[in-house]
Amino acid sequence: MPCLGKTDCSNCHSSSGVFCRACLKIRYGEDIENVRDNKKWLCPHCSEEKGLNPYWICNSSICLSRRKIPPTGIAIFKARELGFKSVAHYLADLLKKQGYK
């Protein structure tokens, strides 16, 4: 029986599309129940690859470092203080303001 506390990307089904409940909520503002119910859910990697949501990128330290962007660390406190739902929402706003492509 599969673990019910992890996500599965409908496109890649790879380990890069697997997130636990806490990371999904804090880093991306999504609820695991909604993600599991959405059979077409895409991980941040696939969403970016398909160009579905500009500035919506994987915000793991590895992916950010590859882009020459400093890792965010525990940015949820600052993100929420500034009124953002998640680290991804905060980061997307920063990237947009900076004209990142």
Side-chain angles (χ1 to χ4, degrees):
M1 185 166 168
C3 172
L4 297 178
K6 303 281 183 180
T7 60
D8 178 40
C9 177
S10 65
N11 186 59
C12 69
H13 302 286
S14 74
S15 60
S16 64
V18 175
F19 297 92
C20 71
R21 178 183 302 272
C23 285
L24 190 66
K25 183 69 172 176
I26 291 170
R27 301 205 66 81
Y28 298 98
E30 298 188 68
D31 293 312
I32 197 150
E33 291 79 13
N34 295 337
V35 168
R36 280 199 306 244
D37 289 345
N38 180 357
K39 302 301 179 201
K40 294 182 179 182
W41 180 79
L42 297 175
C43 70
H45 298 273
C46 291
S47 178
E48 179 184 5
E49 187 177 288
K50 292 180 179 285
L52 300 177
N53 194 348
Y55 308 105
W56 196 261
I57 62 174
C58 178
N59 59 52
S60 72
S61 60
I62 293 169
C63 289
L64 291 177
S65 294
R66 285 182 188 150
R67 298 171 181 277
K68 310 266 188 275
I69 299 173
T72 59
I74 304 174
I76 189 60
F77 302 112
K78 183 170 186 168
R80 287 193 178 151
E81 181 181 301
L82 294 171
F84 292 97
K85 182 178 179 180
S86 71
V87 174
H89 291 89
Y90 170 57
L91 186 58
D93 187 66
L94 282 176
L95 293 175
K96 184 177 181 180
K97 286 177 180 174
Q98 294 172 357
Y100 181 82
K101 296 194 184 227

